[in-house]
Amino acid sequence: MAKFASCIALAMAVMLSGCGYHQLGTTTHLPANVHSLAVPIFQSRVQAYHTETAFTAAVVRELNERTKYRVLTASGDGTFNGSMGSADAVLKGTILTETIAPLTFDPTSGQTASYLVTVHAVVEVIAHDGTVLYRNPGFEWREQYQSTQDLSGFVQEDSAAVRRMARDFAQNLVSDMLENFQ
């Protein structure tokens, strides 16, 4: 019986030793041969203005701040700073939908007081040899923004909401990529 208890204790110790905490982003499941990522401007299937550039810029910023990968970005003419062909992998994103819907209404005027912006995207990382290293077809992000009733001082808030949403999207995407590469 003592031998059985010892075996159980040893098995528990082995299982628990693998359940340690680690700082997010310190472990990566990227293949060891990936040292550079090309990040072309996200594609967009929506007519919203510059959502794809805000999302791309936020992802590039997050990759540069949180990883040691060399990030190749597209210049204004569509070419890469560096050569996309020399990148070990390419991170591609596509904005599938973007909706803006009324969220709350002012009870006195009946006008919209806040809106909800929702963006659906698909993101994938493809190795130089064509192997899909990461794919998430269901990224969905939401951001609420307030409307103003003062039309003389009206500033379009939806672009600021998209920038905030892009920042949150990028943080979560990079975390997901670093923790879930196969």
Short mmCIF file of all heavy atoms in Angstrom, two decimals, residues 107-138:
data_model
loop_
_atom_site.label_atom_id
_atom_site.label_comp_id
_atom_site.label_asym_id
_atom_site.label_seq_id
_atom_site.Cartn_x
_atom_site.Cartn_y
_atom_site.Cartn_z
N PRO A 107 -32.50 59.22 -23.89
CA PRO A 107 -33.94 59.12 -23.60
C PRO A 107 -34.71 60.43 -23.85
O PRO A 107 -35.90 60.39 -24.14
CB PRO A 107 -33.99 58.73 -22.13
CG PRO A 107 -32.67 59.11 -21.57
CD PRO A 107 -31.70 59.06 -22.69
N THR A 108 -34.02 61.55 -23.78
CA THR A 108 -34.74 62.82 -23.98
C THR A 108 -34.90 63.17 -25.45
O THR A 108 -35.95 63.63 -25.87
CB THR A 108 -34.03 63.98 -23.25
OG1 THR A 108 -32.69 64.06 -23.72
CG2 THR A 108 -34.05 63.77 -21.75
N SER A 109 -33.85 62.96 -26.24
CA SER A 109 -33.92 63.34 -27.65
C SER A 109 -34.27 62.17 -28.56
O SER A 109 -34.69 62.38 -29.70
CB SER A 109 -32.59 63.93 -28.10
OG SER A 109 -31.59 62.94 -28.14
N GLY A 110 -34.04 60.94 -28.10
CA GLY A 110 -34.27 59.78 -28.94
C GLY A 110 -33.16 59.52 -29.94
O GLY A 110 -33.22 58.57 -30.71
N GLN A 111 -32.11 60.37 -29.93
CA GLN A 111 -30.99 60.18 -30.85
C GLN A 111 -30.02 59.15 -30.30
O GLN A 111 -29.97 58.88 -29.10
CB GLN A 111 -30.28 61.51 -31.09
CG GLN A 111 -31.14 62.52 -31.81
CD GLN A 111 -30.40 63.82 -32.05
OE1 GLN A 111 -29.42 64.12 -31.39
NE2 GLN A 111 -30.89 64.60 -33.01
N THR A 112 -29.23 58.60 -31.18
CA THR A 112 -28.24 57.60 -30.78
C THR A 112 -27.19 58.25 -29.88
O THR A 112 -26.63 59.29 -30.23
CB THR A 112 -27.58 56.98 -32.01
OG1 THR A 112 -28.59 56.46 -32.86
CG2 THR A 112 -26.62 55.88 -31.64
N ALA A 113 -26.93 57.60 -28.73
CA ALA A 113 -25.92 58.10 -27.79
C ALA A 113 -24.60 57.36 -27.94
O ALA A 113 -23.54 57.92 -27.66
CB ALA A 113 -26.43 57.98 -26.36
N SER A 114 -24.63 56.10 -28.35
CA SER A 114 -23.39 55.35 -28.57
C SER A 114 -23.60 54.30 -29.64
O SER A 114 -24.73 53.89 -29.92
CB SER A 114 -22.89 54.71 -27.27
OG SER A 114 -23.76 53.68 -26.86
N TYR A 115 -22.49 53.92 -30.23
CA TYR A 115 -22.49 52.93 -31.31
C TYR A 115 -21.58 51.78 -30.93
O TYR A 115 -20.67 51.92 -30.11
CB TYR A 115 -21.97 53.56 -32.60
CG TYR A 115 -22.86 54.61 -33.17
CD1 TYR A 115 -22.73 55.95 -32.79
CD2 TYR A 115 -23.85 54.30 -34.09
CE1 TYR A 115 -23.56 56.92 -33.32
CE2 TYR A 115 -24.68 55.27 -34.63
CZ TYR A 115 -24.53 56.58 -34.23
OH TYR A 115 -25.35 57.55 -34.75
N LEU A 116 -21.77 50.65 -31.59
CA LEU A 116 -20.90 49.50 -31.44
C LEU A 116 -20.30 49.17 -32.80
O LEU A 116 -21.02 48.94 -33.77
CB LEU A 116 -21.68 48.29 -30.92
CG LEU A 116 -20.87 47.02 -30.68
CD1 LEU A 116 -19.89 47.24 -29.52
CD2 LEU A 116 -21.79 45.85 -30.37
N VAL A 117 -18.96 49.20 -32.87
CA VAL A 117 -18.24 48.83 -34.08
C VAL A 117 -17.80 47.38 -33.91
O VAL A 117 -17.20 47.03 -32.90
CB VAL A 117 -17.00 49.72 -34.31
CG1 VAL A 117 -16.26 49.29 -35.57
CG2 VAL A 117 -17.39 51.18 -34.38
N THR A 118 -18.11 46.53 -34.89
CA THR A 118 -17.72 45.13 -34.85
C THR A 118 -16.94 44.81 -36.12
O THR A 118 -17.38 45.15 -37.22
CB THR A 118 -18.96 44.20 -34.77
OG1 THR A 118 -19.75 44.58 -33.64
CG2 THR A 118 -18.56 42.75 -34.65
N VAL A 119 -15.79 44.18 -35.94
CA VAL A 119 -14.95 43.79 -37.06
C VAL A 119 -14.69 42.29 -36.99
O VAL A 119 -14.33 41.78 -35.94
CB VAL A 119 -13.60 44.55 -37.05
CG1 VAL A 119 -12.66 44.04 -38.12
CG2 VAL A 119 -13.83 46.04 -37.20
N HIS A 120 -14.92 41.60 -38.10
CA HIS A 120 -14.59 40.17 -38.24
C HIS A 120 -13.39 40.08 -39.17
O HIS A 120 -13.37 40.73 -40.22
CB HIS A 120 -15.74 39.38 -38.87
CG HIS A 120 -16.92 39.25 -37.98
ND1 HIS A 120 -17.99 40.11 -38.03
CD2 HIS A 120 -17.20 38.37 -37.00
CE1 HIS A 120 -18.88 39.76 -37.14
NE2 HIS A 120 -18.43 38.71 -36.49
N ALA A 121 -12.42 39.25 -38.79
CA ALA A 121 -11.22 39.09 -39.61
C ALA A 121 -10.76 37.64 -39.62
O ALA A 121 -11.10 36.86 -38.73
CB ALA A 121 -10.10 39.98 -39.08
N VAL A 122 -9.98 37.31 -40.63
CA VAL A 122 -9.28 36.03 -40.70
C VAL A 122 -7.79 36.34 -40.76
O VAL A 122 -7.39 37.28 -41.44
CB VAL A 122 -9.74 35.17 -41.90
CG1 VAL A 122 -9.48 35.86 -43.21
CG2 VAL A 122 -9.07 33.81 -41.87
N VAL A 123 -7.00 35.58 -39.98
CA VAL A 123 -5.56 35.81 -39.94
C VAL A 123 -4.86 34.47 -40.08
O VAL A 123 -5.30 33.48 -39.50
CB VAL A 123 -5.14 36.47 -38.61
CG1 VAL A 123 -3.64 36.69 -38.55
CG2 VAL A 123 -5.86 37.79 -38.40
N GLU A 124 -3.77 34.47 -40.85
CA GLU A 124 -2.98 33.26 -40.98
C GLU A 124 -1.51 33.61 -41.13
O GLU A 124 -1.17 34.70 -41.61
CB GLU A 124 -3.46 32.39 -42.14
CG GLU A 124 -3.42 33.03 -43.48
CD GLU A 124 -4.08 32.19 -44.58
OE1 GLU A 124 -4.60 31.10 -44.27
OE2 GLU A 124 -4.06 32.64 -45.72
N VAL A 125 -0.67 32.68 -40.70
CA VAL A 125 0.77 32.81 -40.88
C VAL A 125 1.20 31.62 -41.72
O VAL A 125 0.91 30.47 -41.39
CB VAL A 125 1.52 32.82 -39.54
CG1 VAL A 125 3.03 32.87 -39.77
CG2 VAL A 125 1.07 34.02 -38.70
N ILE A 126 1.87 31.93 -42.82
CA ILE A 126 2.27 30.90 -43.78
C ILE A 126 3.79 30.90 -43.88
O ILE A 126 4.41 31.95 -44.11
CB ILE A 126 1.64 31.16 -45.16
CG1 ILE A 126 0.11 31.20 -45.01
CG2 ILE A 126 2.08 30.11 -46.17
CD1 ILE A 126 -0.61 31.69 -46.24
N ALA A 127 4.37 29.73 -43.70
CA ALA A 127 5.83 29.58 -43.80
C ALA A 127 6.28 29.79 -45.24
O ALA A 127 5.48 29.71 -46.18
CB ALA A 127 6.25 28.20 -43.30
N HIS A 128 7.56 30.04 -45.39
CA HIS A 128 8.15 30.26 -46.71
C HIS A 128 7.88 29.10 -47.66
O HIS A 128 7.71 29.29 -48.86
CB HIS A 128 9.66 30.49 -46.56
CG HIS A 128 10.33 30.96 -47.79
ND1 HIS A 128 10.03 32.16 -48.39
CD2 HIS A 128 11.29 30.39 -48.56
CE1 HIS A 128 10.77 32.31 -49.47
NE2 HIS A 128 11.56 31.25 -49.59
N ASP A 129 7.76 27.88 -47.11
CA ASP A 129 7.51 26.70 -47.95
C ASP A 129 6.03 26.45 -48.21
O ASP A 129 5.66 25.46 -48.82
CB ASP A 129 8.15 25.45 -47.33
CG ASP A 129 7.51 25.06 -46.00
OD1 ASP A 129 6.55 25.72 -45.55
OD2 ASP A 129 8.00 24.07 -45.41
N GLY A 130 5.14 27.35 -47.74
CA GLY A 130 3.71 27.23 -47.98
C GLY A 130 2.94 26.55 -46.85
O GLY A 130 1.71 26.50 -46.90
N THR A 131 3.62 26.07 -45.83
CA THR A 131 2.95 25.42 -44.71
C THR A 131 2.21 26.46 -43.87
O THR A 131 2.76 27.51 -43.54
CB THR A 131 4.00 24.72 -43.80
OG1 THR A 131 4.75 23.82 -44.59
CG2 THR A 131 3.32 24.00 -42.66
N VAL A 132 0.96 26.18 -43.55
CA VAL A 132 0.19 27.08 -42.68
C VAL A 132 0.61 26.82 -41.24
O VAL A 132 0.42 25.72 -40.72
CB VAL A 132 -1.33 26.87 -42.85
CG1 VAL A 132 -2.10 27.73 -41.87
CG2 VAL A 132 -1.74 27.17 -44.28
N LEU A 133 1.21 27.82 -40.61
CA LEU A 133 1.68 27.70 -39.24
C LEU A 133 0.61 28.11 -38.23
O LEU A 133 0.62 27.64 -37.10
CB LEU A 133 2.92 28.57 -39.03
CG LEU A 133 4.11 28.27 -39.94
CD1 LEU A 133 5.19 29.32 -39.75
CD2 LEU A 133 4.63 26.87 -39.66
N TYR A 134 -0.28 28.99 -38.67
CA TYR A 134 -1.30 29.52 -37.76
C TYR A 134 -2.46 29.99 -38.62
O TYR A 134 -2.25 30.59 -39.68
CB TYR A 134 -0.72 30.68 -36.96
CG TYR A 134 -1.74 31.43 -36.14
CD1 TYR A 134 -2.08 31.01 -34.86
CD2 TYR A 134 -2.37 32.56 -36.65
CE1 TYR A 134 -3.02 31.70 -34.11
CE2 TYR A 134 -3.30 33.25 -35.91
CZ TYR A 134 -3.63 32.82 -34.64
OH TYR A 134 -4.56 33.50 -33.90
N ARG A 135 -3.67 29.73 -38.16
CA ARG A 135 -4.86 30.24 -38.87
C ARG A 135 -5.96 30.43 -37.87
O ARG A 135 -6.26 29.54 -37.08
CB ARG A 135 -5.30 29.26 -39.95
CG ARG A 135 -6.52 29.73 -40.74
CD ARG A 135 -6.65 28.95 -42.03
NE ARG A 135 -7.80 29.10 -42.86
CZ ARG A 135 -8.49 30.19 -43.15
NH1 ARG A 135 -8.18 31.33 -42.62
NH2 ARG A 135 -9.52 30.17 -43.97
N ASN A 136 -6.57 31.59 -37.89
CA ASN A 136 -7.75 31.85 -37.09
C ASN A 136 -8.76 32.55 -37.99
O ASN A 136 -8.64 33.73 -38.29
CB ASN A 136 -7.44 32.72 -35.88
CG ASN A 136 -8.63 32.82 -34.94
OD1 ASN A 136 -9.78 32.70 -35.36
ND2 ASN A 136 -8.36 33.05 -33.68
N PRO A 137 -9.78 31.80 -38.43
CA PRO A 137 -10.77 32.39 -39.33
C PRO A 137 -11.86 33.17 -38.61
O PRO A 137 -12.74 33.72 -39.26
CB PRO A 137 -11.37 31.15 -40.02
CG PRO A 137 -11.25 30.09 -38.98
CD PRO A 137 -9.98 30.38 -38.23
N GLY A 138 -11.80 33.23 -37.29
CA GLY A 138 -12.91 33.83 -36.56
C GLY A 138 -12.56 34.92 -35.59
O GLY A 138 -13.18 35.03 -34.53
#
